[in-house]
Amino acid sequence: MATNLVDSTPAMNNLLGSESDSQRTLYDFCTSHYVESIYERTIRFDPWYPYVTGTSVVGIKYKDGILLAADMGGSYGSTLRYKGVERLKPVGKHSIIGASGEISDFQEIMRFLDELILSDNMWDDGNSLGPKEVHNYLTRVMYNRRNKFNPLWNSLVLGGVKNGQKYLGTVSMIGVHYEDNHVTTGFGNHLARPILRDEWHENLTFEEGVKLLEKCMRVLLYRDRSAVNKIQILKITEEGVGTFPPYSLKTYWNFSAFQNPTVGAEGSW
Amino acid sequence: MDLDAPHSMGTTIIGVTYNGGVVLGADSRTSTGMYVANRASDKITQLTDNVYLCRSGSAADSQIVSDYVRHFLHQHTIQLGQPSTVKVAANLIRLFSYNNKDMLQTGLIVGGWDKYEGGKIYGVPLGGTILDLPFTIGGSGSSYLYGFFDQAWKEGMTQSEAEQLVVKAVSLAIARDGASGGVVRTVTINSDGVTRKFYPGDELPLWHEELEAHDSLLDILSSASPEPMVS
């Protein structure tokens, strides 16, 4: 008889609010409730539309390690809205990452990586994640999000050196990943890769590497509308990460062909 | 007149740091489609005693985000035992904006003063990116201010220079952006506390093609010297 009484009052409990309400913490409120159904995901608008974006990243292997270059622009559609965004960051002791695409998603990826490196350190076993492992982790993250139709809207470059082995790889927003001696994202694929295919060689010195990257970045500055003239370069060697202050590249406009391009063909451009 | 159109704050919002604190500024127009639903709105809302928020985009979205964050910051302040830092407030705003990016349409500027970092401005645009900046602009009216700030901004201004810059900028944006208008409100936050200022629309400087306001044509005619009507 007692059990029947209990059964007759479940409706009342819900009116006062579910038990979980009182337990709800700040963190629960701030994180999204994961939508598992693809149908639910597609009826909401614009999960795939990026807002603040970064453009190309260029990365090369050189004699002592890896060099990464990217500009510091955060575009908002066609507006060059933010001009001091760091898109190259160190990851742990052995890697550096560069990202193009939605900046908020890159900031989230950096939080994931911080957690990853932290839990790796907590083992306190003298071992630390190398670039190949970090690249693999990123690949899994990107691919799994793609499968849930909720991608992180980024193309990533991951480079590093561990135990003398140089590593340079890339992951796209749909999880396509590979490694190579030189990798680029975005416009870099079209404008920088042909230059790198032609001029990259094994055992570039630091100076040669930087000049090669600058050649690529200058072309991108001329030809990519979302490029901004403030470059950041990061290097990684067995010794660790090297950061350099942001700087601007000189551009060249003083060609005779540029002075009067429409002479003889008025109205053309 | 589409009264069912979502209330959106066309808006111009600005946050600048100066030598000792921050100045937040905004216009006061809230529109429903083409109708001005509120010509004296207050888009600079308080999150804590020392941190304020400039809201742009959807009025509903920005209000609910600010309500939630105000609630959690209040809890956080109690737990912490001292005023919350601007960084914590900005990151809470970011968490909401980022995790609900598919549903929210609001660009926010967080500004305040705390004893650790002094005056700080954080931009949280659409998508939930968080950026620590010396100054930032937002809302539809901000499109007209990029060039202005490129030229007029400088590091280490005094409080009155910063306030004047903000008022001038908002009034320039109001002149050109149909979705911005009304009065200019500013909130200055520093170690001494918070000061709210109000600049009514008729006291703002006049720009190109704008004329002095009069009560009536009759006043103009009576004050001008009598001229022959026929030459």
Side-chain angles (χ1 to χ4, degrees):
Chain A
M1 292 299 115
T3 45
N4 284 346
L5 276 170
V6 171
D7 288 343
S8 69
T9 53
M12 265 313 256
N13 288 336
N14 287 334
L15 285 173
L16 297 167
S18 63
E19 203 193 301
S20 60
D21 270 7
S22 57
Q23 315 277 33
R24 199 164 295 162
T25 63
L26 184 138
Y27 189 69
D28 291 334
F29 248 108
C30 294
T31 51
S32 63
H33 299 284
Y34 226 102
V35 176
E36 291 303 325
S37 141
I38 289 171
Y39 176 70
E40 275 188 273
R41 174 128 296 286
T42 50
I43 59 172
R44 292 190 181 159
F45 53 87
D46 293 344
W48 307 301
Y49 191 72
Y51 292 104
V52 181
T53 56
T55 185
S56 326
V57 177
V58 186
I60 54 174
K61 282 187 188 168
Y62 77 109
K63 183 160 63 75
D64 305 325
I66 311 291
L67 279 168
L68 246 53
D71 71 20
M72 299 188 76
S75 298
Y76 192 74
S78 58
T79 305
L80 306 176
R81 190 168 183 184
Y82 302 108
K83 292 186 179 184
V85 181
E86 279 187 26
R87 301 194 288 114
L88 304 177
K89 300 259 183 198
V91 179
K93 290 201 291 259
H94 305 287
S95 317
I96 45 181
I97 186 173
S100 64
E102 169 68 47
I103 301 296
S104 64
D105 285 344
F106 175 51
Q107 290 179 341
E108 195 73 355
I109 287 170
M110 287 315 297
R111 277 162 208 265
F112 291 149
L113 287 174
D114 283 343
E115 265 182 50
L116 180 75
I117 299 295
L118 184 70
S119 17
D120 185 46
N121 287 343
M122 299 284 259
W123 285 102
D124 200 23
D125 56 5
N127 193 18
S128 47
L129 290 170
K132 195 177 171 64
E133 287 99 69
V134 178
H135 184 228
N136 190 62
Y137 171 80
L138 287 170
T139 304
R140 289 303 102 212
V141 170
M142 302 300 272
Y143 184 61
N144 272 279
R145 288 288 295 258
R146 166 263 190 197
N147 284 341
K148 292 175 181 166
F149 280 84
N150 182 209
L152 289 160
W153 202 277
N154 297 107
S155 289
L156 308 167
V157 171
L158 197 293
V161 192
K162 192 177 173 198
N163 297 331
Q165 295 273 58
K166 299 188 281 259
Y167 186 91
L168 180 62
T170 181
V171 196
S172 79
M173 71 188 240
I174 53 171
V176 171
H177 60 284
Y178 53 89
E179 30 162 328
D180 205 345
N181 293 321
H182 44 81
V183 296
T184 59
T185 68
F187 256 63
N189 281 314
H190 301 103
L191 299 173
R193 265 169 116 189
I195 300 175
L196 295 169
R197 275 187 209 121
D198 208 28
E199 299 188 21
W200 184 89
H201 57 86
E202 203 79 52
N203 292 321
L204 287 164
T205 64
F206 173 72
E207 287 74 24
E208 287 172 331
V210 170
K211 282 227 157 64
L212 186 54
L213 283 178
E214 285 173 345
K215 189 168 185 175
C216 295
M217 296 308 286
R218 187 174 289 109
V219 169
L220 289 167
L221 193 55
Y222 288 139
R223 299 294 182 174
D224 180 359
R225 263 177 47 167
S226 38
V228 140
N229 197 358
K230 204 186 222 179
I231 314 287
Q232 196 195 0
I233 292 199
L234 227 59
K235 96 174 150 133
I236 185 155
T237 60
E238 191 71 53
E239 285 80 58
V241 179
T243 52
F244 304 95
Y247 68 106
S248 294
L249 285 172
K250 278 210 173 125
T251 55
Y252 304 98
W253 304 90
N254 214 358
F255 298 102
S256 56
F258 285 5
Q259 314 285 26
N260 286 308
T262 61
V263 158
E266 289 303 323
S268 73
W269 40 272
Chain B
M1 201 158 65
D2 182 15
L3 287 169
D4 291 329
H7 277 56
S8 104
M9 290 175 306
T11 316
T12 306
I13 50 173
I14 303 181
V16 325
T17 59
Y18 70 90
N19 180 18
V22 301
V23 179
L24 299 175
D27 74 309
S28 71
R29 178 172 287 188
T30 304
S31 31
T32 324
M34 278 284 142
Y35 176 67
V36 178
N38 186 350
R39 66 179 170 108
S41 15
D42 183 6
K43 303 180 188 180
I44 310 179
T45 29
Q46 184 183 29
L47 292 179
T48 69
D49 288 341
N50 57 319
V51 182
Y52 278 67
L53 177 75
C54 291
R55 303 181 290 112
S56 80
S58 156
D61 288 352
S62 62
Q63 278 173 3
I64 200 69
V65 169
S66 82
D67 287 347
Y68 271 123
V69 172
R70 188 178 313 114
H71 168 70
F72 288 119
L73 272 178
H74 186 224
Q75 280 188 336
H76 175 61
T77 305
I78 292 167
Q79 289 175 325
L80 202 61
Q82 60 181 39
S84 154
T85 60
V86 189
K87 186 185 267 194
V88 164
N91 272 288
L92 277 175
I93 293 278
R94 177 202 82 89
L95 269 178
F96 274 97
S97 294
Y98 180 74
N99 287 313
N100 298 291
K101 64 161 80 187
D102 5 343
M103 289 178 288
L104 295 174
Q105 228 183 61
T106 171
L108 304 159
I109 299 179
V110 184
W113 186 96
D114 61 57
K115 69 184 187 195
Y116 299 105
E117 305 237 44
K120 287 295 253 180
I121 291 284
Y122 290 89
V124 184
L126 255 48
T129 314
I130 184 169
L131 293 160
D132 179 357
L133 302 159
F135 76 92
T136 189
I137 55 182
S140 58
S142 68
S143 309
Y144 308 96
L145 296 177
Y146 286 101
F148 174 73
F149 271 92
D150 276 347
Q151 189 220 43
W153 159 263
K154 43 193 194 358
E155 197 76 51
M157 288 183 286
T158 64
Q159 181 178 323
S160 80
E161 282 177 331
E163 282 176 3
Q164 276 165 34
L165 181 68
V166 168
V167 175
K168 187 174 180 183
V170 179
S171 95
L172 278 168
I174 287 173
R176 291 294 184 176
D177 180 28
S180 300
V183 310
V184 179
R185 295 190 196 277
T186 63
V187 172
T188 305
I189 314 172
N190 51 35
S191 57
D192 299 326
V194 178
T195 323
R196 260 192 182 282
K197 290 209 172 114
F198 173 85
Y199 301 85
D202 51 327
E203 282 173 24
L204 297 172
L206 292 171
W207 303 115
H208 183 55
E209 292 268 30
E210 293 183 337
L211 301 170
E212 287 279 351
H214 297 271
D215 282 324
S216 162
L217 171 67
L218 306 172
D219 297 337
I220 304 172
L221 293 175
S222 58
S223 64
S225 50
E227 279 172 26
M229 297 292 279
V230 181
S231 57

